[in-house]
Amino acid sequence: MKRILTYLLLTTLTNLSVNAQTKTYAEKLGFPKGKKVVILHVDDAGMSYESNVGTINAIDKGIANSTSVMMPCGWVPQFFDYLKKHPNTDSGVHLTLTSEWDNYRWTPLIGCKNAPGLCDEQGAFWHSVAQVVQHASANEVEAEIRAQLARYRAFGMQPTHMDSHMGTLFDPKFVMSYAKVAMDEKIPVLFPAGHASLIFKVNNVPEPMQKLAQQVGKQLWDAGLPVLDDLDGTSYGWTLPTGTPVTDANIQKYKTQKFIELINSAKPGLTYIIMHCTSPTPTFDQISGSGQTRKGDMLAMMDPALKAFIEKEGIIVTTWKELTERRGNVK
């Protein structure tokens, strides 16, 4: 009998452990079990006039429902003019530590004198994540994060969240600085720490890094912040098949179908879907050759077919504001 009781106890504990591991953060936040919950998020607001127009179109005329602002960039004030007129917009800080384009650059808010490791030979942020990791210290990164948050607040608004431009802050060298500022300031941050099926698969994340992500997620959750289950940012690389005429109709149809396929492939839980919505002009084409894929993201968000699919499939669309409110109700 004692052996039977011991076996039953161990089995129960094992099952509890498995259940604890498989329960999604969406469920912890009170969303129904087995449901797909998404945030349709637009990166790079403030980067350019065209990015601002694309972001606004995707939100006002489409189904995108979240964005974040690149605080070191030149078109930030114009976007805040929009935010002040639309104060309920789900908007955060797109923490920026790289300046990737060749002919259009931006610099650290704290200056190169205070953070030489953040600056390249032109006095701008480094072009790539790898260069930031190589040259910058965690202390420099934390100081710049705090400065970008402070500039956001200087416009008289409070961000709904913070996230990471080009994923720089997901690197092990900087991730704890990212989490520390979030916990200090009580501001949610983009961090996929649940099953993370999409993001781990695309980036071939090794097991030690997966465990680190789960540990950081637990810290954020224990600090009273909402945490995501998964993340996808692959739409940037979706380009029309070779030979397909580049028209708005073709771009919209193609991108809409790709978003439908992505949502179909997502597992139940809370998934953050990143896109870059731009209304490109000849000027933007001097910044980047990504105008068409960004336009495609914008057009897909404005496509009634995508909205109809989401409604038909019962996909729950949420915001950082709702996540924060739900987290506050979880004991």
Side-chain angles (χ1 to χ4, degrees):
M1 178 61 73
K2 184 176 180 181
R3 288 182 179 180
I4 293 174
L5 290 174
T6 301
Y7 171 78
L8 290 173
L9 177 60
L10 289 173
T11 301
T12 300
L13 290 173
T14 300
N15 288 335
L16 287 173
S17 176
V18 169
N19 288 336
Q21 292 171 2
T22 57
K23 189 174 185 180
T24 66
Y25 280 107
E27 290 176 66
K28 292 180 181 180
L29 288 167
F31 291 104
K33 182 178 181 180
K35 295 292 288 187
K36 295 180 181 181
V37 186
V38 300
I39 294 178
L40 299 169
H41 178 86
V42 184
D43 273 359
D44 293 1
M47 187 186 83
S48 67
Y49 168 76
E50 295 86 351
S51 298
N52 288 352
V53 172
T55 299
I56 292 167
N57 282 342
I59 293 173
D60 284 358
K61 301 176 183 179
I63 59 172
N65 65 341
S66 179
T67 189
S68 54
V69 190
M70 298 176 70
M71 299 312 299
C73 295
W75 282 88
V76 165
Q78 190 217 25
F79 195 73
F80 272 93
D81 182 61
Y82 167 81
L83 290 179
K84 287 177 181 178
K85 294 173 182 175
H86 301 81
N88 293 324
T89 303
D90 205 64
S91 175
V93 188
H94 196 44
L95 295 168
T96 303
L97 298 166
T98 52
S99 182
E100 60 271 30
W101 312 119
D102 290 333
N103 298 323
Y104 178 58
R105 311 297 308 282
W106 43 84
T107 62
L109 295 185
I110 59 175
C112 294
K113 182 178 180 180
N114 293 320
L118 289 176
C119 297
D120 69 4
E121 65 280 357
Q122 296 178 355
F125 285 115
W126 296 98
H127 279 81
S128 71
V129 174
Q131 289 173 310
V132 183
V133 174
Q134 179 184 353
H135 295 282
S137 69
N139 288 339
E140 289 173 319
V141 164
E142 181 178 337
E144 179 64 19
I145 289 173
R146 292 187 183 278
Q148 292 183 23
L149 172 59
R151 189 185 184 205
Y152 192 107
R153 287 169 165 165
F155 283 92
M157 305 189 75
Q158 176 71 3
T160 57
H161 68 286
M162 299 185 294
D163 54 40
S164 176
H165 183 57
M166 295 178 67
T168 310
L169 291 165
F170 296 158
D171 188 272
K173 185 176 181 180
F174 305 134
V175 69
M176 291 315 302
S177 298
Y178 181 48
K180 179 176 182 292
V181 175
M183 292 185 287
D184 286 350
E185 300 292 336
K186 303 298 183 185
I187 298 176
V189 285
L190 167 60
F191 198 80
H195 55 74
S197 304
L198 295 172
I199 188 66
F200 285 170
K201 180 180 179 181
V202 168
N203 293 279
N204 196 26
V205 177
E207 187 174 346
M209 282 295 296
Q210 294 182 28
K211 291 182 178 179
L212 174 62
Q214 292 168 354
Q215 291 169 4
V216 174
K218 185 177 184 303
Q219 284 184 277
L220 292 169
W221 180 265
D222 290 345
L225 299 174
V227 178
L228 304 174
D229 289 297
D230 207 353
L231 163 67
D232 184 87
T234 57
S235 75
Y236 194 83
W238 300 342
T239 55
L240 281 173
T242 303
T244 304
V246 181
T247 65
D248 285 359
N250 285 343
I251 294 170
Q252 184 180 54
K253 182 178 179 180
Y254 172 75
K255 282 271 188 166
T256 294
Q257 183 57 38
K258 293 291 287 185
F259 276 112
I260 289 173
E261 292 172 5
L262 169 63
I263 294 171
N264 275 330
S265 69
K267 289 185 176 181
L270 179 55
T271 302
Y272 194 78
I273 298 176
I274 295 174
M275 66 206 69
H276 302 79
C277 297
T278 295
S279 182
T281 65
T283 298
F284 187 84
D285 292 339
Q286 296 300 310
I287 296 173
S288 164
S290 63
Q292 288 305 311
T293 191
R294 290 170 180 258
K295 186 177 186 179
D297 284 353
M298 177 189 74
L299 293 174
M301 291 302 106
M302 297 165 66
D303 192 342
L306 183 57
K307 180 179 181 181
F309 163 79
I310 288 173
E311 291 176 349
K312 178 183 177 183
E313 295 299 315
I315 308 297
I316 298 172
V317 180
T318 189
T319 63
W320 283 104
K321 288 183 178 181
E322 181 181 1
L323 298 185
T324 299
E325 291 171 0
R326 284 176 173 270
R327 183 66 187 92
N329 294 327
V330 178
K331 295 181 179 179

